[in-house]
Amino acid sequence: MALGGGSQAASWAGPGGAVLRVRGVVDVPVDDLVPVGDGTRRSVAEDLRYVYGEGQPTDWLETGPGRDYPTMIRAARSALAERGLLDDVRLVVLVVTTPDLQHERLLGGFVADLFDDRPYTFCVTEQGLAGPFTALRLAHEELAHGGPQGVGLGGDALVLVLEQCTLPPTATRVPARDRVVALVVGHDGAGRPVEALSVARAPRGPRPDQAAPPRDGAPSTAPAVAPGPDARRVVLGVDVDPGEAPDLGGVVLHADPGAAATGVWEVLAACDAVPDAPVVLHERCLELGYRCSLVLGPRSVAATSPDVDDLTREAVLA
């Protein structure tokens, strides 16, 4: 799956040839959210023992923070509404990397009822770290060509990348804490243009035994001179080999190894502080065998000039 410019531009541009733009990225605070009650935890424990036997350990239900996705989605909605990013959302795509702690509420119906105008709702699962990249392509296709008439939904799409850490012990990587990153994309208005997007198959491989040192989105090396506001940011996922990532020129940033699918997107949210800088994301999913990338241009704003018959021109934000 590829989404890119050049000769492919006509296949992924929106109505009128407009490119998909990332209009806003928000790393939603969730640490202060109220956890689920004891009743929900008991219900989950009972169901697990019913399916897997009485010997199934459930003590992890008591040790984790215990936040569920409906609570986290409400927090995301509030954070986005405060920033004025929900005015024209017609599609919500959920990206779920880890199971929801609660199991009594269907997220699709919950989301459609929670957001104004009951937007179309999809969910991307079972794609590991590739899920958010697939969700962006799905958002583009639905906004440009979806809907009942096949002429496109128009407006904006909201992509919510969700992960929670109240989980049983497992050999696969699980997040160190609960996280939500929200992306609002559309073909109109201000935002970072999507210049290329790809999700490709790659060899699967074992995860390294040694734990990676904490990175928390910090530059891999401290530059001798502070980077300029237009210096490109290159964001690498935890399992991306820098030797395999093309064009590492610029400021290289690393995702937090304590994240699951949200790592590179948290760093992208921080990059909104440097709107003039292009951003490149590289991600690698060892368990499922995916290699993903996303290339975004500098953030720009559409300005209308009365002297050009209301044609839209692009002006880079200062």
Side-chain angles (χ1 to χ4, degrees), residues 30-37 41 65-68 70-72 178:
V30 299
D31 290 344
D32 294 332
L33 298 181
V34 177
V36 299
R41 299 186 198 235
R67 301 180 190 95
D68 64 355
T71 301
M72 296 160 71
D178 300 335

Side-chain angles (χ1 to χ4, degrees), residues 215-240:
R215 292 167 177 167
D216 295 324
S220 57
T221 57
V225 179
D230 58 350
R232 185 173 64 160
R233 271 59 177 173
V234 180
V235 185
L236 302 182
V238 174
D239 294 317
V240 174

Side-chain angles (χ1 to χ4, degrees), residues 15 18-24 80 83-93 115-122 135-136 138-144 152-160 183-192 299:
V19 300
L20 186 70
R21 296 182 181 276
V22 178
R23 299 191 349 95
L80 293 165
R83 293 165 173 79
L85 290 171
L86 293 182
D87 294 343
D88 200 19
V89 168
R90 304 181 190 180
L91 169 71
V92 178
V93 185
F115 287 84
D116 295 336
D117 299 323
R118 300 183 66 86
Y120 277 49
T121 305
F122 291 85
L136 286 176
L138 177 61
H140 157 72
E141 293 291 345
E142 288 298 318
L143 293 181
L153 296 172
D156 294 334
L158 168 61
V159 175
L160 286 174
L183 299 93
V184 177
V185 300
H187 293 108
D188 300 313
R192 292 183 180 273
R299 184 174 178 84

Side-chain angles (χ1 to χ4, degrees), residues 133-171:
F133 296 86
T134 298
L136 286 176
R137 179 59 191 253
L138 177 61
H140 157 72
E141 293 291 345
E142 288 298 318
L143 293 181
H145 310 295
Q149 307 302 321
V151 296
L153 296 172
D156 294 334
L158 168 61
V159 175
L160 286 174
V161 189
L162 302 155
E163 57 194 46
Q164 63 92 19
C165 63
T166 306
L167 297 166
T170 176

Side-chain angles (χ1 to χ4, degrees), residues 54-270:
E54 290 298 325
Q56 177 71 18
T58 58
D59 55 329
W60 52 270
L61 283 165
E62 304 302 327
T63 57
R67 301 180 190 95
D68 64 355
Y69 286 155
T71 301
M72 296 160 71
I73 292 170
R74 283 196 187 96
R77 183 188 184 282
S78 297
L80 293 165
E82 289 175 0
R83 293 165 173 79
L85 290 171
L86 293 182
D87 294 343
D88 200 19
V89 168
R90 304 181 190 180
L91 169 71
V92 178
V93 185
L94 304 174
V95 182
V96 177
T97 306
T98 62
D100 192 359
L101 178 61
Q102 66 83 33
H103 61 303
E104 299 168 339
R105 184 176 297 163
L106 298 178
L107 290 183
F110 170 78
V111 168
D113 190 57
L114 177 67
F115 287 84
D116 295 336
D117 299 323
R118 300 183 66 86
Y120 277 49
T121 305
F122 291 85
C123 188
V124 177
T125 64
E126 311 301 331
Q127 276 212 306
L129 306 185
F133 296 86
T134 298
L136 286 176
R137 179 59 191 253
L138 177 61
H140 157 72
E141 293 291 345
E142 288 298 318
L143 293 181
H145 310 295
Q149 307 302 321
V151 296
L153 296 172
D156 294 334
L158 168 61
V159 175
L160 286 174
V161 189
L162 302 155
E163 57 194 46
Q164 63 92 19
C165 63
T166 306
L167 297 166
T170 176
T172 59
R173 191 170 104 212
V174 298
R177 59 181 178 84
D178 300 335
R179 306 170 196 248
V180 182
V181 178
L183 299 93
V184 177
V185 300
H187 293 108
D188 300 313
R192 292 183 180 273
V194 175
E195 297 179 353
L197 186 157
S198 67
V199 176
R201 278 295 184 183
R204 300 185 184 187
R207 181 167 301 284
D209 293 333
Q210 66 275 17
R215 292 167 177 167
D216 295 324
S220 57
T221 57
V225 179
D230 58 350
R232 185 173 64 160
R233 271 59 177 173
V234 180
V235 185
L236 302 182
V238 174
D239 294 317
V240 174
D241 182 351
E244 297 180 357
D247 304 327
L248 283 183
V251 182
V252 179
L253 305 169
H254 293 271
D256 179 0
T262 59
V264 295
W265 308 99
E266 290 177 326
V267 183
L268 177 60

